[in-house]
Amino acid sequence: MHIAKETMSFLRELRENNNREWFIANKDAYDKAQANVKDFITALIAELTTFDPHINNEIKASKCLFRIYRDIRFSKDKTPYKTWFAAGISVDGRKLDGPEYYLHIGPENNFIAAGYWRPEKQHLEAIRQEIDYNSGELVKVLAEGDFTIADLSVEDKLKRPPAGYTEDDPNIEVLKLKSFIIHRSLSDAEVTAPNALQNMVGITKRIYPFKQFIHQALDQ
């Protein structure tokens, strides 16, 4: 299972013709591309259920897939469509307030990730507490997937220590994080290759021990 080359071609053309008239004229191509991505998500969910108990076959690809229509109300960029497909995979589809998988498909910008993006205050405090108490376990679960602390996303990282922690804390650089995510970039050739699904499943299996560490911090 893989992402069709035609899907990537559609997204490239959309990037060059991001307007309502072109999109309507090419609605059939969009429908085929979306169907391809949904089929891929469905296949990925089936694979995730084999090792992650937080994922089940009741999860529908349609609930995971984000809309292609952009919210332009408060944006300087008024182009109406996203030029990628994205999905958040969890028991609540794309709307989970907790750890999940994230798939992003776009020309020259493909990646798969897992973790917790911008947890709400109570969850953030719980994750930081778990790291503070069990930093050795965090290093261990990362190493199980051949990752290190340096592989964690630094998006939105605080410049100063969060409340309750000091700069001399040995774990302070991790405690400053506001999201706890590991991702792996993929080339267009990788996502359109016949083994694309198995390649991504292999990546998620490596990230899973880290995702489970977050679940445990939240007692989920």
Side-chain angles (χ1 to χ4, degrees), residues 1 33 63 91 98 101 120 138 148 179 202-203 212 215:
M1 184 66 189
K63 287 189 64 178
V91 289
Y101 297 95
E120 47 101 340
L138 174 61
T148 68
S179 293
I203 294 169
Q212 184 62 15
H215 282 294

Side-chain angles (χ1 to χ4, degrees), residues 183-198:
H183 85 282
R184 274 294 173 262
S185 297
L186 299 158
S187 68
D188 292 356
E190 286 178 303
V191 300
T192 58
N195 67 340
L197 177 62
Q198 291 310 314

Side-chain angles (χ1 to χ4, degrees), residues 83-103:
T83 55
W84 63 88
F85 287 105
I89 302 174
S90 75
V91 289
D92 288 329
R94 63 185 179 276
K95 297 181 179 180
L96 179 72
D97 187 12
E100 65 180 347
Y101 297 95
Y102 178 81
L103 174 67

